[in-house]
Amino acid sequence: EYPAYIVLDLPAEMAARVQALRDAADPRFPPLPVEITVAGSSGVGPLAREESQERVFSALEAIAGRAGAIRSGFAEVLRFPGSPVFYLRPVDLEPFVALHRSIISADLRFQASPFPYSPHCTIRSPGAGEISDKDAERVLGLAVPPESFVLDTLSVYELDGQRRECRLLHRCRLTGASGAEADEAG
């Protein structure tokens, strides 16, 4: 059993655009889903190993029934301080922070994380190793896709860090009345 993360999967067209950025930033980036992490790498750590999958999936289904889809876009490429990890920062962080809080309030057990919650879509992985200043400047200068997109799929992935692969454990749709659909209806 490996660490499990809760994420919002990017829609296929935007995922392909971000994958192209991953390829440019880190040609050895593992074949992982293109997503924005909601719980697992910051704020709270991965789900606790002893946490029941049925309990997690039930809690996420309830949250997804209340939470609406999130309309977002990317603002810029940033680097986590003191690390080789680069990421795309969403334009508006608040919908992700609100979803993160909802998941925490579901009374699920998580491992500890030393980092405050930071919504992000990784484009250069920790496994890529150190990076020269020149290459770091190049990655920071990559063109951010200007299009907005709607995130409506909440997934739980189990990550095998040694083999650099993951497995989908659960997926549900954000169907609540708040979020992107409510914005369009109003």
Side-chain angles (χ1 to χ4, degrees):
E1 192 172 297
Y2 298 100
Y5 298 81
I6 303 169
V7 306
L8 288 164
D9 292 304
L10 267 64
E13 189 174 308
M14 183 54 66
R17 304 272 319 267
V18 171
Q19 186 60 52
L21 289 176
R22 281 181 173 177
D23 294 342
D26 179 1
R28 297 172 300 171
F29 198 100
L32 300 175
V34 181
E35 44 76 16
I36 294 176
T37 307
V38 183
S41 59
S42 62
V44 293
L47 287 158
R49 294 186 193 288
E50 66 274 5
E51 185 62 87
S52 148
Q53 286 188 355
E54 293 77 23
R55 200 168 110 76
V56 170
F57 302 159
S58 176
L60 293 179
E61 289 288 343
I63 290 167
R66 292 188 305 270
I70 298 171
R71 178 171 295 284
S72 191
F74 292 118
E76 60 190 330
V77 175
L78 294 173
R79 180 180 189 175
F80 283 117
S83 86
V85 179
F86 291 74
Y87 64 98
L88 294 168
R89 182 184 64 81
V91 173
D92 181 7
L93 303 181
E94 186 49 41
F96 302 99
V97 171
L99 185 57
H100 180 78
R101 284 188 194 126
S102 293
I103 291 168
I104 291 171
S105 70
D107 199 30
L108 299 172
R109 291 173 291 181
F110 295 90
Q111 296 176 36
S113 170
F115 309 109
Y117 180 58
S118 177
H120 64 279
C121 179
T122 303
I123 61 169
R124 188 171 191 279
S125 70
E130 291 308 311
I131 187 169
S132 70
D133 290 344
K134 181 180 178 183
D135 282 341
E137 201 171 300
R138 180 186 59 78
V139 173
L140 288 169
L142 290 172
V144 175
E147 302 85 5
S148 66
F149 49 89
V150 174
L151 298 158
D152 64 1
T153 307
L154 190 64
S155 298
V156 179
Y157 290 104
E158 183 179 65
L159 179 65
D160 178 344
Q162 294 294 83
R163 296 192 352 217
R164 298 178 68 165
E165 61 187 32
C166 70
R167 179 172 68 104
L168 176 67
L169 299 178
H170 187 75
R171 179 170 281 153
C172 52
R173 305 280 281 188
L174 301 176
T175 58
S178 63
E181 283 90 26
D183 291 346
E184 290 171 3

